[in-house]
Structure formats: C-alpha cells, structure tokens
Amino acid sequence: DVKVTQSSRYLVKRTGEKVFLECVQDMDHENMFWYRQDPGLGLRLIYFSYDVKMKEKGDIPEGYSVSREKKERFSLILESASTNQTSMYLCATDTDSSSYEQYFGPGTRLTVT
Amino acid sequence: QKEVEQNSGPLSVPEGAIASLNCTYSDRGSQSFFWYRQYSGKSPELIMSIYSNGDKEDGRFTAQLNKASQYVSLLIRDSQPSDSATYLCAVKDAGNMLTFGGGTRLMVKP
C-alpha cells in the first residue's frame, strides 16, 4: 500500500509566521503534489514536483514555496502566513508514470489567526 | 480553463438502492479519469480509475466513461449508510495534471 504521511493533522499559527508543512512518502515515487481544499472552491493545486530539486507552479502558487531535497520528502512553506491561507492542505503522490493514480496523505488543517 | 463539473447535491438515496453520480469535463484531450471518496474531515481516497470508453466494475462500484460525450459516471449498487460521503471526480489531461470537480455529496438513508 502507498503510504503518505503529513507532519501535523492540525496546526494553529499567527499571521506573519513562517510555516512548514512536511509530506513524506515511502514508495519511491517521482511525482509529489500539494493541494489546498476550501469549501465551495474544491481542491486546487499549489505546487508539484517531478523529481528531487525540481518544482513546478500549480494553479495558486502565490504566497507559497516548496522544497524537495530528498525524493521521499516534499515540503510546503508559507513564508509569511496570512488569514486567507487558513485551509486544509493535502499532499499527494502518483503511483507510476502509466496509471497516474494519486494517493493522498491525511491532510493538515491549518488555522492562521 | 479546464473544467470538471459535478452536481453538488446532496443526492439522497435509500439503503439498498443504486446511487448514480455524474461528472462532465471540458478538455477533450483528457486521458484518465478517477473517482475519489471523501468522508467529512478526511482526505480523498481513490476508489476507481478508468481510462477507456465503457464500463469498469469493482465490487459494488461501476465507473462508466463516454469520451465522445465528455462524461464519466460512478454507480454504487446496494448503497449502504457507510457510502455517505462526498465523491470527487478527477480528470487528468495530456499534461498529467489532475483537475478535480467540486464533488457530489451522497447521503444514504437507512
């Protein structure tokens, strides 16, 4: 089974803080993704990575950055958290280059006050 | 702008009935199609994938794809209260990115 873990289930931060969300997968997959999910807006892609040190912007990258120093770990960084970044953050990984099935981690519910 | 449309629901069905969930997509170049189930407060869980026209069955679930009509559906037979969740349709384009629909909330009443 594909296992994707995220560092925190719930996180509360203050406006202006730097926030790190960590995602780890144990299946040696090349592709990893960060989404956010908001009521009425659905799942939106923030960033993705197809290899170590490689990253591509998704649909809503503003206010975020990412880091992928090791294949199994993909970090999402909020440089200066704002209240409009309060959301559920979901990490996902592809199974392989033929099926492209994405599997999600448990999610981190971030509240910025 | 690639779009994936779903009726937000709620779709209410009695226990034991067939639930039919529908999804349309705008990008004719789309190649892979997925259904996810998401319980409240949890992350999406992949339940079906389909890549070619026709039906694909897995237990009580059947996915149906019609690329000419740009339409994909999910049928759940013998619906159970535990099937109550939001079902997300996702479509992968030639660029290998997933676009998600807004989801349909399904309620199965005992």
Side-chain angles (χ1 to χ4, degrees):
Chain A
D1 281 354
V2 177
K3 187 161 185 183
V4 183
T5 58
Q6 294 183 230
S7 50
S8 305
R9 288 286 284 122
Y10 300 94
L11 207 53
V12 179
K13 295 291 182 181
R14 293 192 180 277
T15 301
E17 280 193 82
K18 191 169 186 176
V19 182
F20 293 86
L21 303 181
E22 300 271 300
C23 176
V24 178
Q25 51 103 355
D26 67 353
M27 293 300 292
D28 201 37
H29 293 159
E30 282 80 20
N31 300 331
M32 297 185 75
F33 307 82
W34 275 107
Y35 296 88
R36 64 178 283 178
Q37 187 175 31
D38 302 285
L41 296 175
L43 272 160
R44 294 180 291 167
L45 181 65
I46 305 171
Y47 267 98
F48 67 98
S49 169
Y50 52 90
D51 204 348
V52 175
K53 297 192 185 295
M54 306 302 287
K55 60 185 180 184
E56 293 286 343
K57 293 180 181 179
D59 298 321
I60 50 163
E62 297 79 18
Y64 303 94
S65 62
V66 290
S67 172
R68 194 164 180 203
E69 297 296 319
K70 294 184 178 181
K71 194 173 187 180
E72 68 270 18
R73 188 179 299 267
F74 190 34
S75 302
L76 179 69
I77 303 155
L78 287 67
E79 295 289 342
S80 177
S82 62
T83 55
N84 64 12
Q85 292 179 309
T86 291
S87 186
M88 169 73 98
Y89 288 89
L90 292 158
C91 176
T93 179
D94 269 352
T95 47
D96 58 51
S97 59
S98 61
S99 68
Y100 296 110
E101 292 176 347
Q102 283 190 17
Y103 289 85
F104 286 84
T108 295
R109 184 163 295 282
L110 172 67
T111 302
V112 183
T113 61
Chain B
Q1 181 77 11
K2 296 164 189 170
E3 294 183 346
V4 178
E5 300 285 343
Q6 296 180 255
N7 188 318
S8 61
L11 172 65
S12 182
V13 300
E15 184 174 356
I18 295 175
S20 177
L21 304 162
N22 304 314
C23 172
T24 59
Y25 59 94
S26 63
D27 183 7
R28 284 196 172 273
S30 300
Q31 300 179 351
S32 306
F33 306 86
F34 307 91
W35 283 100
Y36 287 84
R37 177 176 62 201
Q38 187 173 24
Y39 293 113
S40 181
K42 303 293 186 182
S43 61
E45 172 192 10
L46 180 67
I47 54 172
M48 290 286 289
S49 56
I50 186 166
Y51 306 100
S52 54
N53 281 327
D55 294 0
K56 179 182 177 183
E57 187 175 316
D58 184 0
R60 295 186 296 113
F61 298 99
T62 298
Q64 299 175 316
L65 175 60
N66 184 326
K67 289 186 179 180
S69 300
Q70 295 175 243
Y71 174 90
V72 58
S73 65
L74 179 71
L75 300 178
I76 306 174
R77 289 182 300 282
D78 188 25
S79 295
Q80 301 297 308
S82 59
D83 295 325
S84 298
T86 296
Y87 289 80
L88 304 173
C89 172
V91 175
K92 188 175 280 286
D93 60 25
N96 299 330
M97 290 299 105
L98 276 187
T99 300
F100 286 83
T104 298
R105 185 171 157 225
L106 173 66
M107 297 172 58
V108 181
K109 301 201 168 179

